[in-house]
């Protein structure tokens, strides 16, 4: 069961974030640029730490 789905487009780059509230499904992150793409499944319990790490990286560089 998909809880939320978000998409962001910038030029030919597309980001997908899908949060599935099912019992075994993680958070899905998809990055697509032309013919190239990368897809990641992130365990929900790791999501807060990932957000913390991204926030710290952005703060250190701005």
């Amino acid at each position: 069961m998909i809880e939320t789905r978000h998409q962001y487009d910038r030029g030919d780059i597309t980001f997908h974030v899908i949060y599935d509230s099912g019992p075994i499904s993680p958070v899905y992150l998809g990055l697509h640029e032309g013919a190239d793409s990368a897809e990641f499944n992130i365990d929900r319990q790791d999501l807060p730490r990932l957000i913390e790490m991204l926030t710290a990286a952005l703060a250190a560089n701005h």
Side-chain angles (χ1 to χ4, degrees), residues 32-47:
H32 309 279
E33 181 178 12
D36 297 323
S37 66
E39 299 175 350
F40 306 92
N41 289 314
I42 303 165
D43 191 304
R44 285 188 293 261
Q45 70 181 4
D46 298 323
L47 194 56

Side-chain angles (χ1 to χ4, degrees), residues 8-57:
Y8 169 74
D9 297 298
R10 182 179 51 83
D12 62 346
I13 297 173
T14 300
F15 298 87
H16 294 278
V17 176
I18 300 170
Y19 180 86
D20 191 321
S21 63
I24 61 172
S25 298
V27 174
Y28 163 84
L29 173 62
L31 307 171
H32 309 279
E33 181 178 12
D36 297 323
S37 66
E39 299 175 350
F40 306 92
N41 289 314
I42 303 165
D43 191 304
R44 285 188 293 261
Q45 70 181 4
D46 298 323
L47 194 56
R49 180 68 176 135
L50 176 60
I51 292 169
E52 181 181 302
M53 292 167 59
L54 290 169
T55 302

Side-chain angles (χ1 to χ4, degrees), residues 55-62:
T55 302
L58 287 171
N61 292 293
H62 283 90

